[in-house]
Amino acid sequence: MATASLPIRQEPRISAGLPRVGEFMRWSVDHKIIGVQYMVVALSFFFIGGILAMLMRWELLTPDVDFFGDGAVYNSAMTMHGTIMIFLWVIPMIGAMGNYVVPLQIGARDMAFPWLNAFAFWIIPPAGILMLLGWLVGPAEAGWTSYPPLSLLGHDGQLLWAVSLHLLGISSILGAINFIVTILNMRPEGMPLFRMPLLCWAVLATALIIVLATPFLAGALTLLILDMVAGTSFFIAAQGGDVLLWQNVFWFYSHPAVYIMVLPSMGIISEVLSVHSRKPVFGYRMIALSSMSIALVGFTVWAHHMFTSLTPELRIPFMITSMIIAVPTGIKIFSWLATIWGGKIHFTSAMNFALGFLSLFLIGGLTGVIVGSVPVDIHLHDTYFVVSHFHFTLYGGGVMGLFAGVYHWWPKITGRMLNEGLGRWHFWLTFIGFLWTFLPQQIAGMMGMPRRVATYDPSLLIYNQLSSLGAFVLGASALFFFYNLGWSLARGRVAGGNPWRALTLEWATTSPPPPLNFYEDPVPYPNPYGYGSDAAREYLDEQQRRFPAALEAPTDEGSTSASLATQPAGTSAGSSAGTSAGQQQ
Amino acid sequence: MNQPLRRLLLSPRTLFVLLLSGIGVVGGGYLAGEMTPLLFPAQASAEARQVDDLFRFLMIIAGAIWFLVQGLIVFAIIAYRRRPGDDADGPSWHGNRLLEFVWTFIPSVIVFVLVVFSYQVWVDITTPKADENQVLGYDVVPVFAEGQQFAWRFTYSVTLPDSGREIKVVSPSLHTFVGQNVHLTMETADVIHSFWVPAFRIKQDLLPGYTTDVRFTPTLATEVVWENGEPVHHGYPIVCAELCGSGHGSMRSQVIVHATESDFVESFLQPEIDFIINPPTDPVLIGQKLLADNVYGCASCHTLETPHFSWDGNQAPVLNGIGTRASLRIAGYSAKDYLLESLGNSPAFLVPGDWPAVMTVFQAEDSTLATYMPLGDQQAIAAYLCTVTADPDAEPACEIELSAPTSLDAPEAASEAS
């Protein structure tokens, strides 16, 4: 193992300072500003989508349509909840994480195409607003899957929905091209692909999926729009069209989109579990390769969304591919388990969410195998069991991972720590509220409750009331999160360059980093997860001397480095007081 | 693996703990599998039994994996939590080929087993069976299901054994009997629907432009309660599982499984056939029958509460007392004119209020279109609605004579209308 690679005896540097608020409101080609812009937009839509979910659960407290007054209104809420959460929360949030962290992790000054990066972002706000404007002209009501012919019978809002999704798809593709080029070409010397942080692997796999799959969404949407406005009949059976055409092409994008939403979170989890348990990632190569194989196999499973509509003979092949994908997913879960095994687990909020990811995604994966089996899925397809299953993967997996990422990198982004006490509240309310919401839904689905209904059989009342109560807890948990973000900006402790003592390059600079990220050409530590070696400790000690949280601490050099070496800062609100960073509270 | 670790792994205490955990994992999985009957509605078909067995097997595997992995997670976060004051890093383990092989290989084997088992069940439940749709005394009686926003309709094609005449028996609920091998063909009149009977564990989409089908064999009769000498069936719910519009959640019906074949014939099929062979001449009775069969899907949108009906649709105007109100709606229109015009040319009058559904514009000219409603049917339904007065004991608000054949007179027309 090579020794510390940072040039020795550089002057200590404190935060470069956050850009002014105005910087975030206008066109900027700085990947860090764009990353924050993505995050702010994504969080805003997370809030809107969450409100819609609360309203839907309020409606479902009773078996009859009462709160919304009409099934159509419920359908519009349900459609917008799904579309917003997928296309305007999770995917832009991945843009946020990827944009902010990836160039830093590979020691780049910016993304490969900064202007394109800004352009990809600035498509999103107008597209989102266009989607919301649907409510003024009669909203989309056909679900986020918008199967024709139902979607062709909808209001004008359905057209806005399609155009908006088209724009979001363009944004996705442009962003993904940028990630691929950046990751493949802009790594520094000393960072071959298999020494790259796992988040970069995950983002690379995700970007490849986006570039290959999203054009199919664009194609399907184009046909749908033509059917709506140009008198074509691609999906109109009476005029020679085929409704299954939409389902095939739509899911050819939308199943890989599931991996688009969850792979980056898997990358985040790999980072967080290793750093916060102070142990190298176990089976680095297998985790990296399993991301790639998930990306690849993910393209062959789309029709398992069509087990009740697809020609029966074709169902079995898609069952086989769908089940196979459980294997690389299992490899990841066991590798993560081995990563924390024998470590020194710091129960930071980031770590709590990463561990929560493991527990919840495990259930998402196991229920996925269950619905992957054709005969069982025949019963469970389009029921609340499926609703529960995909929330376990996309919320319990994807969103828990994104929360872990926010708690992990927020200090880098803002230069300030989040409140660990509020973070714990956020975690436990999310974790308990999540299980409380989605476990009863599984039973409701098995007992006979179809999805996308505003009214249901009164015998299913108890499961729905339980689920709704859980959902309100889950909704409340998000308030702790938003409050925590505000609290941190106003009163958060100064983070310093590397509060978690992590080895990847984004921590080898101030928090937040200066424009163009680094003060001199960054030299990566040979192993991004080489914890547990003396060389790593020396490297981190030197880094902490160079990018401290404050300048006041050093009295004599020996004691400073000793105290920094023994105190990974910010392990919790309480234990962090001893670090030099802690005095900034 | 280093020496101390190896010694630890082989110590009697460790082996005991491993054994105990193994029993816990397997036992947990078994318990999870045994929960199966609690999680499903009644098991009422041959297919349900096979699907439930497969599900139980999946639950045992998934449950065991869950206990194993979740147990390891809990163990790890307790055993490997950072102790206060401990700021060292963990050991520098980077991987282990053997372990990684094991957790790639074993899941692959499990997946293989699940695929094989699932495939066997799939073949079993979809293979055409002998004697499909056989009914005592009538040979084969094919059943056809049609979905439309937001109603189900089932048509039995009966060939009368003596005369060879073909008649269509239409019913809003599906009737069958224990042990009948049902083969249901299905089409949709508008958007995609999905035919789901949770008690049978079967589901199949109805796709525009396609005729799809589904097979099942009921094994458990539905409950019959006698009220005022009339049998009231509590059938298994039929649920629409594919979003089909504003009334998707209320697009329900039921499967009535008669205990025996003769019961099915005597209490369902024969009376329906008799009604068609010797139709009543009273237009009110014909209208009532058309509405009861839900031939035109009225029940899913309208509310109608009479001694014969209890519709609770909330998509379209309430029909209670319509006979009384009909003459008051539009100046110059009698109740009779108003009702006839509403059926034959529904956009003519729009009832105030924000009703989500727009009524199908029926026409009596082209019997090949889905919107076909013979003039006789329009008159018969209007005649029945004349009797739906605000005061149940009042005289009918109007009387309408039939001037054209109804679909009950001409079964061919009825089949084309559906």
Side-chain angles (χ1 to χ4, degrees), chain A residues 105-400:
Chain A
Q105 277 197 328
I106 61 171
R109 304 289 176 174
D110 206 312
M111 297 284 280
F113 308 118
W115 190 92
L116 189 70
N117 199 21
F119 181 68
F121 164 74
W122 281 103
I123 295 176
I124 294 177
I129 291 167
L130 196 62
M131 175 109 42
L132 296 179
L133 284 179
W135 262 299
L136 299 181
V137 293
E141 293 170 354
W144 85 276
T145 54
S146 281
Y147 280 7
L150 183 66
S151 52
L152 296 174
L153 306 173
H155 309 286
D156 290 348
Q158 189 73 47
L159 185 60
L160 293 185
W161 175 91
V163 172
S164 165
L165 228 53
H166 229 318
L167 292 172
L168 293 170
I170 292 170
S171 160
S172 260
I173 293 172
L174 296 180
I177 291 171
N178 215 344
F179 280 129
I180 294 172
V181 177
T182 304
I183 291 171
L184 292 184
N185 292 295
M186 296 179 70
R187 281 171 288 116
E189 221 174 299
M191 191 191 281
L193 273 180
F194 280 98
R195 288 277 168 86
M196 194 166 71
L198 284 167
L199 176 71
C200 298
W201 269 106
V203 169
L204 178 63
T206 308
L208 288 171
I209 302 177
I210 292 176
V211 168
L212 293 173
T214 314
F216 286 85
L217 175 69
L221 287 169
T222 303
L223 302 187
L224 192 73
I225 292 170
L226 287 174
D227 270 12
M228 283 181 202
V229 302
T232 58
S233 52
F234 293 102
F235 307 122
I236 304 170
Q239 294 163 37
D242 190 337
V243 291
L244 289 183
L245 172 66
W246 167 268
Q247 296 186 13
N248 275 303
V249 183
F250 177 82
W251 285 116
F252 192 78
Y253 163 76
S254 290
H255 192 80
V258 172
Y259 302 112
I260 292 173
M261 287 183 270
V262 85
L263 275 175
S265 286
M266 290 174 159
I268 292 169
I269 295 305
S270 302
E271 302 282 333
V272 171
L273 289 176
S274 171
V275 171
H276 295 254
S277 62
R278 313 306 304 161
K279 254 191 84 219
V281 166
F282 192 96
Y284 169 98
R285 189 174 277 264
M286 286 294 265
I287 292 188
L289 292 177
S290 66
S291 288
M292 284 306 181
S293 61
I294 288 175
L296 194 71
V297 183
F299 275 100
T300 65
V301 305
W302 77 91
H304 68 216
H305 296 269
M306 301 163 59
F307 277 164
T308 63
S309 56
L310 192 68
T311 314
E313 301 79 61
L314 289 177
R315 295 177 190 180
I316 292 300
F318 283 100
M319 170 175 80
I320 296 171
T321 53
S322 303
M323 292 246 184
I324 285 174
I325 220 162
V327 175
T329 312
I331 290 173
K332 277 182 186 288
I333 288 190
F334 285 114
S335 300
W336 289 324
L337 201 50
T339 299
I340 62 172
W341 200 263
K344 308 280 170 98
I345 299 175
H346 294 245
F347 291 102
T348 56
S349 297
M351 188 63 170
N352 287 341
F353 275 99
L355 294 168
F357 172 105
L358 285 186
S359 286
L360 300 180
F361 190 75
L362 172 65
I363 300 179
L366 292 174
T367 51
V369 172
I370 290 174
V371 291
S373 167
V374 177
V376 174
D377 187 61
I378 292 294
H379 177 60
L380 296 175
H381 180 78
D382 266 332
T383 69
Y384 260 83
F385 189 90
V386 172
V387 174
S388 171
H389 158 70
F390 70 69
H391 280 95
F392 266 99
T393 57
L394 295 182
Y395 198 132
V399 177
M400 294 293 271

Side-chain angles (χ1 to χ4, degrees), chain B residues 110-130:
Chain B
I110 293 176
V111 160
F112 179 77
V113 172
L114 295 183
V115 164
V116 170
F117 192 6
S118 300
Y119 175 70
Q120 284 176 340
V121 172
W122 174 246
V123 169
D124 267 7
I125 63 179
T126 52
T127 306
K129 299 180 187 116

Side-chain angles (χ1 to χ4, degrees), chain A residues 50-92:
Chain A
I51 297 282
L52 288 170
M54 295 300 110
L55 297 180
M56 285 154 65
R57 286 314 319 176
W58 187 263
E59 167 65 62
L60 292 170
L61 277 169
T62 59
D64 293 323
V65 191
D66 32 38
F67 174 68
F68 282 117
D70 176 8
V73 183
Y74 178 89
N75 287 349
S76 74
M78 171 271 292
T79 302
M80 296 310 262
H81 166 76
T83 313
I84 286 173
M85 287 304 200
I86 292 168
F87 291 100
L88 290 163
W89 152 237
V90 176
I91 292 180

Side-chain angles (χ1 to χ4, degrees), chain B residues 89-229:
Chain B
D89 282 356
S92 183
W93 300 339
H94 287 275
N96 180 305
R97 284 279 164 83
L98 178 69
L99 262 182
E100 287 170 52
F101 173 76
V102 166
W103 67 50
T104 308
F105 180 72
I106 293 181
S108 306
V109 172
I110 293 176
V111 160
F112 179 77
V113 172
L114 295 183
V115 164
V116 170
F117 192 6
S118 300
Y119 175 70
Q120 284 176 340
V121 172
W122 174 246
V123 169
D124 267 7
I125 63 179
T126 52
T127 306
K129 299 180 187 116
D131 306 332
E132 279 178 343
N133 297 334
Q134 286 274 0
V135 176
L136 192 66
Y138 293 97
D139 199 18
V140 178
V141 180
V143 200
F144 172 77
E146 190 185 38
Q148 75 175 83
Q149 291 173 321
F150 304 98
W152 296 101
R153 183 162 60 249
F154 301 92
T155 307
Y156 298 77
S157 305
V158 185
T159 309
L160 298 182
D162 39 3
S163 63
R165 178 181 166 194
E166 276 194 32
I167 54 177
K168 308 274 187 190
V169 171
V170 180
S171 166
S173 42
L174 178 62
H175 288 257
T176 173
F177 55 87
V178 172
Q180 187 186 30
N181 293 329
V182 182
H183 177 215
L184 191 63
T185 51
M186 307 190 285
E187 282 176 16
T188 169
D190 37 48
V191 299
I192 301 174
H193 301 282
S194 190
F195 176 84
W196 180 30
V197 183
F200 293 168
R201 320 280 191 270
I202 47 138
K203 187 182 290 128
Q204 171 61 46
D205 287 8
L206 288 69
L207 302 161
Y210 290 82
T211 301
T212 53
D213 60 351
V214 65
R215 295 184 156 86
F216 52 88
T217 307
T219 52
L220 190 65
T222 46
E223 197 188 346
V224 188
V225 180
W226 291 84
E227 281 173 17
N228 309 326

Side-chain angles (χ1 to χ4, degrees), chain B residues 107-410:
Chain B
S108 306
V109 172
I110 293 176
V111 160
F112 179 77
V113 172
L114 295 183
V115 164
V116 170
F117 192 6
S118 300
Y119 175 70
Q120 284 176 340
V121 172
W122 174 246
V123 169
D124 267 7
I125 63 179
T126 52
T127 306
K129 299 180 187 116
D131 306 332
E132 279 178 343
N133 297 334
Q134 286 274 0
V135 176
L136 192 66
Y138 293 97
D139 199 18
V140 178
V141 180
V143 200
F144 172 77
E146 190 185 38
Q148 75 175 83
Q149 291 173 321
F150 304 98
W152 296 101
R153 183 162 60 249
F154 301 92
T155 307
Y156 298 77
S157 305
V158 185
T159 309
L160 298 182
D162 39 3
S163 63
R165 178 181 166 194
E166 276 194 32
I167 54 177
K168 308 274 187 190
V169 171
V170 180
S171 166
S173 42
L174 178 62
H175 288 257
T176 173
F177 55 87
V178 172
Q180 187 186 30
N181 293 329
V182 182
H183 177 215
L184 191 63
T185 51
M186 307 190 285
E187 282 176 16
T188 169
D190 37 48
V191 299
I192 301 174
H193 301 282
S194 190
F195 176 84
W196 180 30
V197 183
F200 293 168
R201 320 280 191 270
I202 47 138
K203 187 182 290 128
Q204 171 61 46
D205 287 8
L206 288 69
L207 302 161
Y210 290 82
T211 301
T212 53
D213 60 351
V214 65
R215 295 184 156 86
F216 52 88
T217 307
T219 52
L220 190 65
T222 46
E223 197 188 346
V224 188
V225 180
W226 291 84
E227 281 173 17
N228 309 326
E230 293 278 317
V232 177
H233 292 272
H234 294 278
Y236 303 122
I238 295 172
V239 182
C240 177
E242 182 63 58
L243 177 64
C244 60
S246 56
H248 166 53
S250 49
M251 183 169 166
R252 300 186 203 134
S253 179
Q254 54 177 350
V255 187
I256 291 159
V257 181
H258 296 268
T260 63
E261 192 164 3
S262 56
D263 193 17
F264 166 79
V265 174
E266 282 161 25
S267 65
F268 168 69
L269 198 58
Q270 199 59 53
E272 295 283 338
I273 292 171
D274 291 344
F275 191 96
I276 293 168
I277 294 175
N278 303 307
T281 48
D282 182 355
V284 174
L285 288 180
I286 296 173
Q288 181 189 330
K289 171 73 178 156
L290 291 169
L291 292 179
D293 290 349
N294 205 19
V295 178
Y296 301 105
C298 318
S300 43
C301 296
H302 289 285
T303 290
L304 177 61
E305 283 150 0
T306 70
H308 315 110
F309 298 104
S310 53
W311 300 348
D312 59 358
N314 57 2
Q315 308 286 317
V318 176
L319 297 178
N320 299 346
I322 183 65
T324 312
R325 283 200 308 282
S327 61
L328 311 173
R329 281 255 201 262
I330 310 284
Y333 274 89
S334 68
K336 173 181 170 180
D337 297 340
Y338 179 86
L339 289 171
L340 285 173
E341 185 81 7
S342 296
L343 280 157
N345 181 21
S346 57
F349 321 119
L350 291 182
V351 179
D354 184 17
W355 302 103
V358 176
M359 185 166 152
T360 312
V361 184
F362 291 107
Q363 46 80 30
E365 281 80 41
D366 186 350
S367 65
T368 61
L369 297 181
T371 55
Y372 178 62
M373 188 195 282
L375 189 59
D377 285 14
Q378 297 180 20
Q379 291 166 337
I381 291 172
Y384 178 79
L385 292 178
C386 285
T387 69
V388 184
T389 48
D391 175 2
D393 300 325
E395 287 292 301
C398 45
E399 280 181 20
I400 297 175
E401 295 295 318
L402 294 181
S403 67
T406 68
S407 51
L408 295 183
D409 297 326

